[in-house]
Amino acid sequence: MISNQQSLSLSPFMAIYDIVVPNDNMLRQINELVDFSFVLEELQNKYCLDNGRNAVPPIRMFKYLLLKSIFDLSDVDVVERSKYDMSFKYFLDMAPEDPVINSSSLTKFRKLRLQDISLLDMLIQKTVEIALEKELIKSKSIIVDATHTKARYNQKSSKEILMEKSKLVRKAVYQIDEKMKGKFPPKTMTNELKDEIDYSRKVIETVEAEETIREYPNVKAKLNVLKEIVEDHHEQLRYSNDPDARVGHKTADSSFFGYKTHIAMNEERIITAAVITTGEKSDGKQLQTLIEKSRETGMEIDTVIGDTAYSEKDNIQYANQNELQLMAKLNPNITQGTRKKEDEFEFNKDAGMYVCKAGHLAIRKARTGKKGINNNQKDTYMFDIEKCKVCPLREGCYKEGTKSKTYSVTIKSNEHIEQEAFQNSEEFKAKSKERYKIEAKNSELKHRHGYDVASSAGLIGMQMQGAMAIFAVNLKRIMTLLKE
C-alpha cells in the first residue's frame, strides 16, 4: 500500500545534509533539477491505496535504481553504500538515521512495478522536456547510431560462469595476501554444476572467515556478486538460456552475443530517442522510428546524421518525403561497385554495348529487377559463349563448362544519384563531422554506466537497464550545459 500524502521528515538530524552535501554535489543538483513526482503518477496504479502495510515509496525505489546506474553498482552494493553515504541518503529523501531497504526489494520492484510501462520512452521524454524548458536545445539535427551490449551470460555454461566468478574472488584476495592460497578448498575435478556450487560456497565461507580481508572494497564487490549467483542459482544460472539475446556482427570478422541499442542524439549531446533490439537487427531499419520518437519529445528536426548503415533507399525516400536532409554516405558498393578495376569491361557508347578485354562485343542486353523497389535494377550483357571458349584471355573470366557469359551493371536509382551528388557537397562534409559526438556518448554509456554488459537476462531487463543508463547520462549532460 502507498499513501496518497507525502510524509514529512521531522528528524532533528536533517541539518547534517547542509554540511556534508554541498550545493555543487551532483545528487543534490539532480534532486533540484528533476521533479520525480512523475514516477509516482506512473506507478501508483501498481499499488493498492487502501490495503496492506505501507510500501517503500516508489520514488525512493526508482532513485535506488538510478543510483545503481549512475555509479555502476550491484543491488547489494548500492544498498550498502546508502547506509553510510550521506549524499545517497539525501538523494533518497531519507533522514540520516533511517534504515535502508533489503536489496532483494529492488528485484521485486523491477519485476512487479516496472515491466508493463514504457520506461525507456518515458524517461527520455522527461529529460528532453527539461532541456527544452531550460532552452538548452538549439539545434535541429539528430545523430543516429547503434551500440552493442553483450548478454550477461555470453553463451557460457552455468559451471563456467561460477568458475569465472569464484576465480575473480580468489584473485582479489591474492592481491592482498598470497598466503590465502593454502586456505582455499581444492578445485572441483568434475563437470557437475552441484559440485561447483558447493565449491563456490566454500570459497565464500573461507573469505568471510577472514575479517580483515573481506572488508576490502575490491574483495567485497567480487564476493557480493558470487553470493548473489550462488544464493539464487536457479534463476541466476540460466546463462545459455537467455531467451532474447542473439548473435550480431560488429564487423565481417567479429561478432557478439547480446543486444543493440539504437540511439538518436541531438548536437547538444542529449539522447532524444532509443530503440533496444536483439543483436542481429539491422541499424538502418530503425531510423524512421528514431526520427518519429525524437519528434514526439518536442524536438524539431531538419537534419539526420548517420553512417552508411542508414543510407538505404527506403530511408532516403523517407527523408525526401519528410523534408529532411540525410547526412549518410552511400555504401561504396553503390557508388563504386564491387568489381575490381582490373576486371571491368569498357562501354562502347556507339554500339551501346560493353566490350570485353579480348575486344569481343556483347551480343544482346536485358534488364532485370523491378523498378521502384528497394533493390536497384541491373542491365545484363550477354556474350558469345563460343568465342569465350577459345579466347586466349579466358582464364579468370570464363569458367569451363558454363553455358553463358554475362556482365551485369547496376543501374543507380534517382535517389542514389541525388544522394551521391549531395554527399560530395561541402555542406554534407561539414555537417558529417558532428557524427563523432555519438561515438563519445556510446563510450560514456559503456565505460561509466556499465552498458557494455547486460545486468540481467531478457529483452525487458535490457530495456530497463537502457532506460536508467540513458536517463542518467541525459541528466548529467543537462547539468553540464547549465553550467556553461
Side-chain angles (χ1 to χ4, degrees), residues 316 326 328 330 414-423 428:
I316 297 172
L326 181 60
L330 293 172
N414 291 335
E415 290 87 354
H416 285 153
I417 292 170
E418 292 170 4
Q419 187 70 10
E420 184 176 6
F422 179 49
Q423 75 183 35
F428 183 98

Side-chain angles (χ1 to χ4, degrees), residues 291 314-326:
I291 293 171
D314 280 351
N315 288 340
I316 297 172
Q317 291 172 342
Y318 176 86
N320 292 338
Q321 291 165 5
N322 289 272
E323 298 180 350
L324 297 169
Q325 284 190 318
L326 181 60

Side-chain angles (χ1 to χ4, degrees), residues 307-349:
D307 58 22
T308 55
Y310 299 94
S311 63
E312 56 188 57
K313 189 191 284 188
D314 280 351
N315 288 340
I316 297 172
Q317 291 172 342
Y318 176 86
N320 292 338
Q321 291 165 5
N322 289 272
E323 298 180 350
L324 297 169
Q325 284 190 318
L326 181 60
M327 305 285 182
K329 282 189 175 182
L330 293 172
N331 192 298
N333 289 345
I334 295 172
T335 55
Q336 302 166 17
T338 57
R339 194 174 281 117
K340 295 179 182 177
K341 193 74 176 174
E342 58 269 23
D343 294 333
E344 291 180 358
F345 289 2
E346 291 185 5
F347 185 71
N348 186 307
K349 62 182 178 66

Side-chain angles (χ1 to χ4, degrees), residues 389-435:
K389 289 177 181 178
V390 295
C391 178
L393 302 178
R394 65 182 179 274
E395 187 176 344
C397 180
Y398 167 74
K399 188 175 181 180
E400 208 66 43
T402 54
K403 296 181 179 180
S404 63
K405 170 62 185 176
T406 61
Y407 184 86
S408 295
V409 180
T410 301
I411 305 168
K412 293 178 185 175
S413 65
N414 291 335
E415 290 87 354
H416 285 153
I417 292 170
E418 292 170 4
Q419 187 70 10
E420 184 176 6
F422 179 49
Q423 75 183 35
N424 292 321
S425 67
E426 291 302 318
E427 179 188 5
F428 183 98
K429 292 174 183 176
K431 202 73 173 173
S432 295
K433 291 178 181 178
E434 298 291 320
R435 211 183 76 78

Side-chain angles (χ1 to χ4, degrees), residues 245-275:
R246 298 288 183 273
V247 175
H249 295 274
K250 294 180 281 186
T251 66
D253 303 318
S254 62
S255 62
F256 67 95
F257 178 69
Y259 303 90
K260 272 187 180 179
T261 302
H262 308 267
I263 293 172
M265 181 187 81
N266 58 30
E267 290 186 41
E268 288 78 18
R269 307 193 192 206
I270 295 171
I271 294 173
T272 58
V275 177

